[in-house]
Amino acid sequence: MSLRTEIEKVARRYPSSKSAILPALRLAQEQYGWLSREALEEVGDALDLTPAYCMSVASFYDMFNLEPAGRHTIEVCTNVCCGLVNAQAVLEAFELELGVAPGETTADGEITLRAVECLGGCSTPTIVAVDHRYRQSVTPEDAPAIVQELRGG
Amino acid sequence: MTDLVRVTVDEREVHVPKGTGLVETALAAGIEIPVFCYEPRLGPPVGACRMCLVEIEGMPKLQAACTLTAADGMVVHTARTSAKAADGQDATLEFILVNHPLDCPVCDKGGECPLQDLTFRYGPGNTRMSFEKLTFEKPIPISPAISLDRERCILCYRCTRFSETVSEDGQLVARNRGAMSVITTFEDEPYGGPFTGNVTELCPVGALLPTQYRFEGRPWEITNVPTVCGMCPVGCNVNATVREGKVKRILSRNHPEVDEGWICDKGRFGFTHLRADDRVVDPIKRIRRRGFEPVSWDEAVDEAERLLRASHGRVVVALSGSETVEQAYGLAKLVRVGLDSHEAMLPEEVSPALDAYRAPLSSIAQADVVAVLGDVPLQQTAPIVDLWVRAARRHGARVLTELDEQAIRDAERPVLIWSGPGGRGGLTVAQHAERLGVTSAFSIPSTPNGRGIADAWAAASDAEPVNTESVGLLVVSGDEAANDPNVRALAEKAESVIVISMFHGLAVGWADLVLPGTSYLERDGTYVNLEGRLQRLRRAAVPPAPDELAWLSQLAARFGIELAPYASSVFAELSNKIYGGLPFGEVGERAPLRGYAEAPAHVEAPPLPEAEAAGDGLRLVCYKPLFSGPAVERVEELQFQRPPAEVELTRADADARGIAGGATVTVSHNGTSVRLRARIAKDLPAGTVRIAREHAGDLRGRVEVRA
Amino acid sequence: MAAEAQPALVLGGAEEHPLRDLTSYRAVGGYAQLEKARAMPPGEVVRLLIESNLRGRGGAFFPTGRKASFIPTPDKIAKPVYITANADESEPGTFKDREIMLRVPHRLVEGCLIAAHAIQSTSVFIYIRGEYSAEYEVLQAAVDEAQRAGLMGEVTIVVHRGAGAYICGEETALLESLEGKRGQPRSKPPFPAIEGVYASPTLINNVETITTIPVVLQVGPEEFAQIGVPPDSTGTRVFCLSGNVVRPGPYERPHGITVRELIYDIGGGIADGRELKAVMVGGSSFPVMTPDEIDTKLDATSLGQKGLFIGSGVVTAIDDRACIVQFALRVAQFYMHESCGKCTPCRVGTRWLVQLLRAVENGTATEHDLEVLLDVCDRIIGKCLCVLGDSAAMPVASCVTKFRDEFQAHLEHGGCPFGADSSLDRLFAPVDQHHLAPVAHEAGV
């Protein structure tokens, strides 16, 4: 199914097709890897919205990449509840393992590391979302194995 | 009669209709509540800036007055009587100024800046902010005509709301969120469209400013001359900002019935054509074997007299439709009374048929059904009318693009609008209106004063034109006529040609005598807009050459015709004939829509044109785009808005021919063809294509489009 | 009823294993309440909710039944009415809705369907935060299963995923986001009950609230109203215990247990032999609690008397390793990141608070800066378009007021007296990541 067809299908679930913009942007990001110019134009075209509007909406939300991102993401919660336990140490372990600062992507374009706000897993700190799936009770020592897993090792 | 409610504002009691906004309610009590983001023309209030905080008895928290409506018994305390409200407003200003750069000395908005004014009245005198302000690259051109300074921006969202809900172009948007929010367009694309310049007037600070006015003047050095725009038949009311005799800027003067405070970009930014490099400032005469040379005015008037006499009454006057009523009348009197020659090439058909269906443009916004007929988008022919139609749709009206007769008959407040060729001066839509029982109808002319000049020409004499075989003298009045291929074709057959034009490029080369023309910004006089509203132009800048009436009156004298060189006197003479004796001084600053002296109740008319028989190929509609014409071509900041060389067609027609949007195609007719880029248009009926006249070459009638 | 004796209700049946599929949910009596409700007139369901005094579990604590009664009945309005379930759970310290969706998704579905019957709606949107991927799958599977089992009736439930914006948990911002716009809150009036999503009446409720609806019908409204701390804080809450405790976790208990009980009896006390320094109660949006206040009961009235809030049922224990200034800074950074940017005081104020707190932490602040800090908080509170501004200012102001000495010590020390020993030292916040600043602007403030 083409992206356009997928978007149109999703749009039918809502009384107004504009409501489908979030699912549409998600689908486009999955296909293009990030919300490039083309991706935004395609979403706009499918929903009869301007690309500027699509970009405006996308840029409001944290989960949309308006710049190229890695094929994988590692997102470490650094809000207070995880912070009180070991979040900074976990983040630093990933920084060390990946060789990037938070917000950056590894040179091979594979992995983007981010610090994120509360992921809603506060009873099992630190929460790390690996490709948007939660790993619970992550310790600094877990970092190398997680990275290796993503690298296909 | 709506219910009135009693509201107390700062201990002053007022009675206002129930549902009146609190800002207006306070105004009714003579009290100003300061605002930034509040602007009723942009839709429902948003309550974003928090400038209008007031204390309302019975409500524990301060409220944004703009978001509330008057309720009976409400007691409101503004900053004037509430320390809490005063502190709230002071806080808002303190927060705005936290990141606002101290640019006043170099900011064009200074002196006309609501932020300055409100800070002075309601804000803190000092800053407590000792950290780094948010900085941005500045200013950045969001288009050649508009520059954006993100440091000055207070994120009131007026501009993005305009783009989303008034012009509906969806191009100027906010990006990111929170303190990182910025105003932007998509990628590096310029903010383009007919209405973009309005954001520079909406912006309450110096964030969105016209590039033309950058560093051009301070409010105490300028005069704002109230006049009317002459670029299209809407006739938006404007103020021409003048400094040291030069027009520097055009602002809206807001006629609530005509333009509601909006202007299109052509009217706003097009004034620099006054300073075009090829402006004709002296009369130019063709000297045999020497080419063209500037001559003195005495020589020019002599030569004009000579040419007129030599024509032996076989004079044809080609009018542009941008002449003032007085100019057209002057020319008419000279030629018709002075030379007994009555042939005119009018730029378009004009009919009094619509006089019975007169309504102000603002009535469109109140309609329940609006039918926009014809094949040329309103944005190209009369942009502000497009905004009125959009407003109507937002208020719940159904906007039809076809003549759905049942829907129109069933409607309570239907409006018909004809935009496109085949309007026959209003006759077409008037006939529809009569048949369907519609009382408000509009037909969009193609010239700013087409009706005015036609009536002025007719008023000069009752004689009929005699069909002459040959043209002794062709008088081409105005640049639009000079640019018209039909006029040029006639000029080839004429024995001699006088051209009145502003620009060398247009006139020199084929005229025997070129007389310098003036712009609507340089004239006093009147125009009749598409509503039939008579409006007053005021001279904003002195033209580099005498006004037409000046030399016309001299020339007329040579033929024994009395013609005053002043618009007011010429108007007086004309007014007695066709405007019921209305005095010049009473035309009005925001002119009312007057009925014509004799509005025919019913119009005899030839039958409606037959629907064109379908034939092979596609029906071609040619149109004159908004951003075209001699004036626009000479405005640097509008070049990016010039129409691309495109052919518009429906998706169905494109798919049937295997054409994708953006592909280069060949459009052909009868042996001629043109290569253009295809664009898929959503507002065309099937079987029709549309091309800007300047790109259409010799194409006409029915065409074929091939990949 | 004693805290220990009250069985789980909202999470009832899922104590050992999650009840993800229809069969296991039915085995504990699932969907029986739906049947009961559908046999009643819609207005009767609303009346039962009012009688139970069930209040919103999302943070606002508004009476659920009363909210439902604001929705016009079909005879009064021609438009369809909508329900949106707020599953945008993003308040720091909160994870109860996630637990509910993972463990008893069908109870949420049942609650949605009962609510739909109560206000005669056929359209439910569950707005779930984008980060909850696994939870979305579990929930969608439950919805699909209920659909296949013919339980929906005329109702459609659309699970709509957010994309990462805390503000979309604010009810009107949620509606804007659902309509396909930037998630910026609206001014009220008009209220969602009259003009909500698609300009139509909309009932918005938190996931836990909706999941409690079948519970109310199951135990009976009168009985429900006896649980907890009547008259206002009725029923149970899924409290979210986290931070420096031995046993963090979701604990469903009646309103009225004390903070001490939750931290020490249920939570095993402070971990690693440390001392309790402060408690984040209700979420990061509220004033913090000091150790001398931990005998306060977790109900709205008792907390209110101390100027505190029940919020989303969060109790996060902060031990004495944590520098309170760093805590305040990290909280302020959260709000700066999440501010939608619509209104001036929040957009500008949250950033200014971060700048001021950073200066305190660095030791470059002055006494005057502390006064300015408190005044900025004051100038934000009550002036914004929505409560996010207050949510930033209240906790920060409470830290300064209740831990003034520690702030003072930073000024005198010329930096953080904890040095590198604070658990929150150099805790990196998302606001400082460069990808948030696409224009020529230095990362960080």
Side-chain angles (χ1 to χ4, degrees), chain A residues 22 26 57-64 116-119, chain B residues 176-178, chain C residues 86-92 127-132 161-171 173-174 177 181-185 334-335 337-340 388:
Chain A
L22 286 189
R26 178 173 277 115
V57 170
S59 68
F60 187 84
Y61 300 93
D62 291 329
M63 294 182 79
F64 291 128
V116 292
E117 298 292 358
C118 180
L119 286 174
Chain B
N176 304 333
R177 68 171 187 237
Chain C
N86 189 339
D88 193 60
E89 182 170 73
S90 307
E91 179 72 31
Y127 187 105
I128 182 172
R129 69 178 289 188
E131 294 87 344
Y132 281 175
R161 300 185 69 187
Y166 164 80
I167 187 60
C168 288
E170 196 279 342
E171 62 175 21
L174 189 155
S177 180
K181 305 178 205 162
R182 291 158 63 84
Q184 294 184 315
F334 171 72
Y335 292 102
H337 180 70
E338 301 292 348
S339 169
C340 79
L388 193 144

Side-chain angles (χ1 to χ4, degrees), chain C residues 11 15 44 124 126 158 163 167 171 196 214 217 219 229 279 298 315 343 346 354 391 411:
Chain C
L11 291 173
E15 294 84 342
E44 176 65 12
V124 177
I126 302 180
V158 172
I167 187 60
E171 62 175 21
L217 266 64
V219 307
V229 184
V279 190
L298 286 164
V315 173
C343 81
C346 171
V354 170
S391 302
L411 302 190

Side-chain angles (χ1 to χ4, degrees), chain A residues 35-90:
Chain A
L35 290 174
S36 60
R37 185 197 184 106
E38 275 175 295
L40 290 165
E41 283 171 349
E42 231 191 296
V43 172
D45 211 42
L47 293 173
D48 200 24
L49 298 166
T50 59
Y53 183 85
C54 297
M55 176 267 290
S56 168
V57 170
S59 68
F60 187 84
Y61 300 93
D62 291 329
M63 294 182 79
F64 291 128
N65 304 323
L66 286 165
E67 287 167 6
R71 235 165 31 95
H72 300 286
T73 53
I74 295 177
E75 294 168 317
V76 181
C77 170
T78 63
N79 203 294
V80 289
C81 301
C82 289
L84 285 166
V85 176
N86 63 354
Q88 184 60 23
V90 171

